[in-house]
Structure formats: C-alpha cells, structure tokens
Amino acid sequence: YNTGSDGFTYRDKRVLSEYPDGVEIGKNHPARHSAWLSFMKRRLILAHNLLSAHGIIFISIDDNEDAALKLLCDEVFMRENKVADIIWQSRKSVSNDTFISNNHNYTLVYFKDANTWQKGDLNLVAKTDKFSNPDNDPRGAWVADPFDAPEVRANLTYEIVNPNNNKSYFPTKGRHWRTTEEEYLRLLADNRIVFGKRGLTKPQLKRFASEAEEKGRVPISIWNDIETTTEGTKQVDRILGKGAFKNPKPLELLHRILSIASASNSIILDFFAGSGTTLHATLQLNHEDGGRRQCILVQEPFGKEGNETNICRDITYERNRRVMQGYTDTRGNTVEGLGGSLRYYRTAFVGDNNAKNAHEDDQITLAQQAGCLIALAENTLEELTDLRTDFYQLFTDGKRLTTVYFQEDARVLPDLVELVRERALPTTAYFLTWNGTAEEFAPEFDGIPQVQLKAIPSPILEIYKKLLA
C-alpha cells in the first residue's frame, strides 16, 4: 500500500455519508500519505495491544513512507522503545533509469517495553563466513582472515616476503601484523598463511571451520549478506510456479529476524502475510533447533474467488501446506516436508439478521464458529466434525481434548460426557453458563480424571445473551 501502486480502499467514519463504501486511494490521490498513516495507525495500535510485555515488532518499509512511519511508531510504541532501523539490501541489480539506484529497504524494530529487555536478550546471529577448501588442506574447509591489525607496535612491524614470487609486504600505515615474526614463520611453515587467489595480495591467515567459534556475533543494522527479493521470488516460483507472487520477502530475511528475536516457544504474528514467508521461516527454524514456535498469518484474499487468485487461500496457505507436507518443485526435485500442522480460517458475518432479530440458526452457527476460537485458544485445532451436533463440538491435537457445550438445554450432556470418557485424554470442557463458572457441571464428570471445566469466555457469552434475549 505504501507505494500507492496497488491502491487500497480507505474507510473513514467522518465521510461515510458521502463515501459509504470507502474511498479508493491511488498513487496520485492528494490524501495518499495521510490516508496511509491513518490506515496504519489503527493496525499498529492493535499490534501494540497484542504484543506480550516482552514482545518485539519488525516492520518492513521502503523510502515511500519510511520517515512518516518512524514518527508514527515513535507515537504508538514510544521513542525510547526503538531498537534499530535495519537496512536490508533488497536487490543486487542496478536500475539505470534513475539518478541513484535504490537497492535497499528498511526494517524498523521496536520493543513493547524496553525495560523488560536486557543487553544480550536478543539472540546472536550465526557467523556468515563461507568456508571452502580450494587447496585441499587435510584439516578441512577454511576462510582467510586479515593478517594485520589496528595500531602500530614495533615488535609486530616487519617485512614479509611471499616465498612464491618474492613480493615484499609491510603493514599498512597505522597497522601492524597480528603475530611476531617468529610466530609468522611457524604459521607459514604450517601452511596457514596464504597470499590471495593468485598470490598477489598481502598475507592472510587461514581460519579453519573446525576451529571456528560457535556462538556467532551480535546482530548489526546493515544486512547485505543475505538473500534479496529476487531470491524470494525464485523460492515461491519453485514451490507454486512462475509468477505466483510479486516480490515476496526471501526466506533468509525472515529466518534471521526470527533467529534474533524469538524463543523456542514464541508466538509469531504476521498481519500482512503476503506469500507466507514468515510461517515458512518459522517451520524452517523449528526444524533446525527443535523449537515449538507457533505462527499466525493474516491476509486478505485480494480477489474474487473463481475469477482471480485468492492470495490467502491459493498462495499464503497453499505454499505453507506444501512446505509442511513436502512437494515436488518446478525443477522436478523432491523437497522433504518440514512437518507441523496448519489451519485455514475465514472471517465472515454470521446470518442475515442483527442480534436483536437473530434466528435460532444464527445462534447455532455463531456458537460453532466461536468454538473454533476456543479451540485456537486451547491449541487443539482439529475438530472432530463427525461428532459435532447442534449442542456441542469436540477438538483435539491428538494429546488433549477440548469440548464446547453451547446450549442451555443439558439433555444431551451425558452423550458428551461419554465421549470424553471413551477418549481418556486430558480435557478442557467449556459451557454456556450465565454466572461465569462451570462448576455446576462437575458432578457429570465424576470418575473421569484430568477434566478442567471452564465457562465460555465473556465476550462470546455477551453475544449469546443478545441472541437469546
């Protein structure tokens, strides 16, 4: 939206009488910047509310709205909670039709509350050294490090001669060699000194992968050592076919963000999900470190089903379904699945009537849809649809059970209790109850271990009250 090229519909209650369906904001609309900021402010306030006390947000943006977005984020998240403004090299190619080729994007990073974080809380990033073994050294792959260092020390300043071509070297002005001459000669004899690919550069020191430190380094604010948008496009093309999605974020970008900022049990939300790279990176990271991170993607369909591509269903969801289950890419290669479970939900209005005039069918439909929300909260996402009735629902993750009894009429409650008894899983049972407690149903579950009773959450209950009034 921020470039104006896609356009978006902006709705403002102040002009609903004149524009009841909203105003289409295009690239040349005179209020494009202010409409975009209003559009974003509401979403960032919601994001701020959703963040845990120890939460952190990463926001990708380009030059079109970068300056305005910083001011907005300073207002919503407060300036003292700003962490960094990361510059990411988003493209390698050079555009010749402009004065200066713009090859980067920004990622703004804010804490929910900087007071809950300490130095070192953000994870180190893995070193990106690319080890190789061009001379077949029996000690394995290596990378060449500079042999000089800052400052000037007399005992570390001496002449080095390349034995292959007799070319002479001294340290660059203001620097010295890293070791004494005696130690240098020992390293040279041990085949740890190299003079570049063709023997024409000053000495460098071999550092072997087997000797490299594992801990990595502190993240920095310039990221020019990872994949670009071009790579992101190729990744989606290989999964879904050429041209499936325009300019997606590359997997390595989101992988780095999650590696820095997430714990093994974090909940990650991307509310402009696009092609779904965030979930793909979450799955990849879980696969690598055995984590149990969960990821929520939100994406509008952007198209009429049956006529245009439904991005959420056909791109965001489908990409990650294949990544989880495994797939054959467009080159014919078999790609092993990363595992995990995935559920696709759509938001919609229930029924054709408002709460005051709602039909009984509306009540049942809403109750069943609300059961999905409860299942999300309990993280038991698979509904046992063959057991669903107009009175109750059951959900599971294979290890636990969630039941939702959403009628005042309790005559079929014994049927639900028997289903819980048969499955013998730890169970959380929700009930429609007006007093905020479900303890009155405890006698029904006598003799069944590991059953926790809960009242249906009050926001859902309030809607039930209106329907039943």
Side-chain angles (χ1 to χ4, degrees), residues 78 80 111 117 174 180 217 307 329 354 359 429 465:
M78 302 186 67
E80 56 267 30
F111 290 136
W117 292 77
T180 63
R217 57 182 171 84
N307 298 322
D329 70 14
N354 59 33
H359 295 171
K465 287 180 179 178

Coordinates of all heavy atoms in Angstrom, one line a residue, residues 78 80 111 117 174 180 217 307 329 354 359 429 465:
M78 N 6.4 4.5 21.4 CA 7.3 5.4 22.2 C 8.7 5.3 21.8 O 9.3 4.2 21.6 CB 7.1 5.2 23.7 CG 5.6 5.4 24.1 SD 5.4 5.3 25.9 CE 6.3 6.8 26.4
E80 N 11.5 5.7 23.2 CA 12.5 5.0 24.0 C 12.5 3.5 23.8 O 13.4 2.8 24.3 CB 12.3 5.3 25.5 CG 11.0 5.0 26.0 CD 10.0 6.2 26.0 OE1 10.2 7.1 25.1 OE2 9.1 6.3 26.9
F111 N 10.6 -2.5 20.7 CA 10.2 -3.3 21.8 C 8.8 -2.9 22.2 O 8.4 -1.7 22.1 CB 11.1 -3.2 23.1 CG 12.5 -3.8 22.9 CD1 13.6 -3.1 23.3 CD2 12.6 -5.1 22.4 CE1 14.8 -3.6 23.2 CE2 13.9 -5.6 22.3 CZ 15.0 -4.9 22.7
W117 N 13.7 -5.9 28.7 CA 14.8 -6.5 27.9 C 16.1 -6.1 28.5 O 16.2 -5.0 29.1 CB 14.8 -6.1 26.5 CG 13.6 -6.6 25.7 CD1 12.3 -6.2 25.7 CD2 13.6 -7.7 24.8 NE1 11.5 -6.9 24.9 CE2 12.3 -7.9 24.3 CE3 14.6 -8.5 24.3 CZ2 12.0 -8.8 23.3 CZ3 14.3 -9.5 23.3 CH2 13.0 -9.6 22.9
G174 N 49.5 2.7 10.0 CA 48.6 2.7 11.2 C 48.2 1.3 11.6 O 47.4 1.2 12.5
T180 N 54.3 -12.0 16.1 CA 55.7 -11.7 15.9 C 56.2 -12.4 14.7 O 55.5 -13.3 14.1 CB 56.5 -12.3 17.2 OG1 56.3 -13.7 17.2 CG2 56.0 -11.6 18.5
R217 N 27.7 -13.7 16.4 CA 28.1 -12.4 16.7 C 26.8 -11.6 17.0 O 25.7 -12.0 16.7 CB 28.8 -11.8 15.5 CG 28.1 -11.8 14.2 CD 28.9 -11.2 13.1 NE 28.3 -11.5 11.8 CZ 27.3 -10.7 11.2 NH1 26.9 -9.7 11.9 NH2 26.8 -11.0 10.0
N307 N -12.7 -16.1 -10.0 CA -12.3 -15.2 -11.1 C -10.8 -14.8 -11.1 O -10.1 -14.8 -12.0 CB -13.1 -13.9 -11.1 CG -14.6 -14.2 -11.3 OD1 -14.9 -15.1 -12.1 ND2 -15.5 -13.5 -10.7
D329 N 9.3 -29.7 -6.6 CA 9.4 -28.3 -7.1 C 9.3 -28.3 -8.6 O 9.2 -29.3 -9.3 CB 10.6 -27.6 -6.6 CG 11.9 -28.2 -7.1 OD1 11.9 -28.9 -8.2 OD2 13.0 -27.9 -6.6
N354 N -29.5 -9.0 12.4 CA -28.7 -8.5 13.5 C -29.1 -9.3 14.8 O -30.0 -10.1 14.8 CB -29.0 -7.0 13.7 CG -30.4 -6.7 14.0 OD1 -31.1 -7.4 14.6 ND2 -30.9 -5.5 13.5
H359 N -32.1 -15.4 14.2 CA -32.9 -16.7 14.2 C -32.1 -17.7 15.0 O -30.9 -17.5 15.3 CB -33.0 -17.2 12.7 CG -33.8 -16.3 11.9 ND1 -34.0 -16.5 10.5 CD2 -34.6 -15.3 12.2 CE1 -34.8 -15.6 10.0 NE2 -35.2 -14.8 11.0
A429 N -13.3 -28.6 29.2 CA -14.7 -28.6 28.8 C -15.3 -27.2 29.1 O -15.3 -26.7 30.2 CB -15.5 -29.7 29.6
K465 N -25.9 -13.8 24.8 CA -27.0 -13.2 25.6 C -27.9 -12.4 24.7 O -29.2 -12.4 24.8 CB -26.4 -12.3 26.7 CG -25.8 -13.0 27.8 CD -25.3 -12.0 28.9 CE -24.7 -12.8 30.1 NZ -24.1 -11.8 31.0

